[in-house]
Amino acid sequence: MKAIAFSEQGSAEVLQYTDVPKPSIDANEVLVKVEACAVNYLDLHARRNRPEIAAKLRQGDTPHILGSDIAGTIAEMGAAARGVSVGDRIVLAPCIPCSICSDCHRGAENLCDTQELIGFQINGGYAEYVKAPVQNAIRMPDELSFVSAAAMPIAYLTAWHMLMTRAQLRPEDDILILGVGGGVGSAGLQIAKLTGARVFATASSDEKLERARQMGADVTINYKDTDFSEVVLDVTEGRGVDVVLEHVGATTWEQSIASLAKNGRLVSCGVTTGNIGTINIRKMYQKELTVMGAALGTVVELRTLIHLAGQRKLQPIIDSVLPLREARQAHLLLENRQNFGKVCLRP
Ligand SMILES: [Zn+2]
């Protein structure tokens, strides 16, 4: 089969459009004919320097195939696989948990210590076919396109788990969403508007902020021009926002904390600009602030999201759809932050 694969880490040039063996499946697995695979920033990190990928490349004699956000049709079923049929249109849950640890048993498989991510620890969807355990295959509503479905898992799952499960966003809340042009940011904006909350959104360009306003953002802030916490406090007359969706890390941490109202909740899923942030502990307890983490999400949450997308209550933003062989170009689009919404590949 055709795939985009690489044998050593580096720039987008390492990605090769090449022939590799079609995966062979075990009894509990399905073979999926890939119809669309979305590109994530994680793919760029994996291609450049993530040590897990370096270890996989050292161990195996086969190249690595990226791609965690996959939609397609069931092409083959393992002997013991149940619940879907050949020909079904499905989206794949991106994580494969162990299913036997205490976290998996209590339904928090997103915290499983030994989980594997498709496209990361194992080969992914930048290919004509990919294999996965049958439990990862979620049937899609007819209304949903393969491209829209592939745009959802990592970005929407992360945003949903952050806002609904962790921060428990309410209709009366004000929420600040950082980097609204990215996958998690734009998903967070749609989910927040679904709840009825008032949304403050930041981005690096006025063009992205205009798109955010079209999607329902109430207050938009260009973070290149201004300290966003000052704008938040100004608009809320000193009160601050109830929830901050944070995924930037070190460079925005203090402004994010300063933007919180009394009883405010900051929820974080990423640290693009660095791992370490400080907090004024006195202000934290006096304002009864909560700082919480969020790590992807669960299959149950992904089923909810796919259902909502089938009802058109969530509509993934697609920046561009490229043929699989142009994966280098897709990576460059993300690398140069030229996209608003997801970039998808189609074999
Ligand atoms: Zn587990």
Side-chain angles (χ1 to χ4, degrees):
M1 66 170 185
K2 290 290 183 194
I4 292 283
F6 63 98
S7 301
E8 56 180 324
Q9 289 172 302
S11 73
E13 295 295 309
V14 301
L15 299 175
Q16 301 289 337
Y17 187 61
T18 182
D19 287 298
V20 298
K22 200 164 147 181
S24 57
I25 55 172
D26 291 336
N28 190 40
E29 291 179 325
V30 290
L31 185 70
V32 176
K33 181 175 186 297
V34 179
E35 295 288 349
C37 181
V39 179
N40 285 293
Y41 280 101
L42 181 64
D43 303 0
L44 276 59
H45 297 308
R47 189 205 73 214
R48 285 183 198 131
N49 54 20
R50 283 293 291 255
E52 300 92 333
I53 304 293
K56 179 174 180 283
L57 290 172
R58 270 198 307 275
Q59 278 168 11
D61 49 6
T62 54
H64 181 65
I65 301 173
L66 295 166
S68 309
D69 280 343
I70 301 160
T73 51
I74 302 285
E76 283 175 34
M77 304 270 297
R82 299 286 180 273
V84 290
S85 307
V86 169
D88 280 356
R89 302 166 79 248
I90 57 102
V91 57
L92 284 179
C95 279
I96 304 174
C98 79
S99 306
I100 53 172
C101 73
S102 59
D103 292 314
C104 284
H105 276 173
R106 68 189 174 88
E109 78 266 13
N110 58 315
L111 298 179
C112 176
D113 285 328
T114 56
Q115 66 183 313
E116 293 183 319
L117 182 66
I118 298 172
F120 201 69
Q121 284 93 350
I122 55 174
N123 281 344
Y126 286 23
E128 288 182 287
Y129 294 90
V130 65
K131 67 172 184 171
V134 68
Q135 300 93 304
N136 285 61
I138 300 172
R139 265 204 299 268
M140 287 164 40
D142 293 340
E143 296 78 10
L144 197 57
S145 72
F146 287 119
V147 167
S148 290
M152 293 193 71
I154 287 189
Y156 277 81
L157 201 45
T158 301
W160 182 271
H161 189 69
M162 291 175 89
L163 298 188
M164 306 308 284
T165 307
R166 299 289 289 144
Q168 303 202 347
L169 188 67
R170 295 177 301 230
E172 68 271 31
D173 283 340
D174 284 342
I175 176 174
L176 170 65
I177 295 176
L178 302 191
V180 74
V184 172
S186 58
L189 169 55
Q190 287 188 357
I191 292 165
K193 291 313 293 182
L194 210 53
T195 70
R198 179 166 71 154
V199 177
F200 294 62
T202 76
S204 59
S205 77
D206 292 341
E207 194 188 343
K208 287 181 180 180
L209 292 171
E210 176 54 33
R211 293 286 300 271
R213 278 193 293 278
Q214 287 166 8
M215 290 168 62
D218 299 280
V219 180
T220 55
I221 307 165
N222 188 324
Y223 66 75
K224 291 229 159 135
D225 300 343
T226 178
D227 176 336
F228 63 77
S229 65
E230 285 176 8
V231 180
V232 166
L233 293 172
D234 193 37
V235 174
T236 58
E237 297 174 334
R239 179 180 170 276
V241 292
D242 304 286
V243 175
V244 176
L245 186 161
E246 168 55 78
H247 55 91
V248 182
T251 62
T252 52
W253 185 255
E254 287 183 21
Q255 287 182 61
S256 291
I257 297 282
S259 302
L260 287 167
K262 289 173 186 167
N263 290 124
R265 294 95 78 197
L266 181 148
V267 58
S268 167
C269 71
V271 285
T272 331
T273 60
N275 295 349
I276 307 297
T278 58
I279 190 164
N280 181 320
I281 302 167
R282 182 188 302 275
K283 281 187 186 165
M284 182 191 74
Y285 71 69
Q286 285 176 340
K287 291 171 78 175
E288 296 199 344
L289 303 181
T290 304
V291 172
M292 56 182 87
L296 205 56
T298 66
V299 176
V300 173
E301 291 172 310
L302 184 56
R303 285 181 186 278
T304 302
L305 287 160
I306 298 298
H307 179 71
L308 289 169
Q311 294 179 329
R312 299 268 188 257
K313 287 179 179 162
L314 296 172
Q315 293 187 303
I317 309 297
I318 310 298
D319 177 84
S320 40
V321 181
L322 299 175
L324 177 63
R325 63 178 178 279
E326 289 177 25
R328 283 181 189 171
Q329 174 61 19
H331 276 219
L332 292 175
L333 281 174
L334 263 72
E335 223 145 38
N336 300 326
R337 298 195 181 270
Q338 289 167 317
N339 59 308
F340 187 101
K342 299 298 282 188
V343 175
C344 285
L345 297 170
R346 295 204 71 168

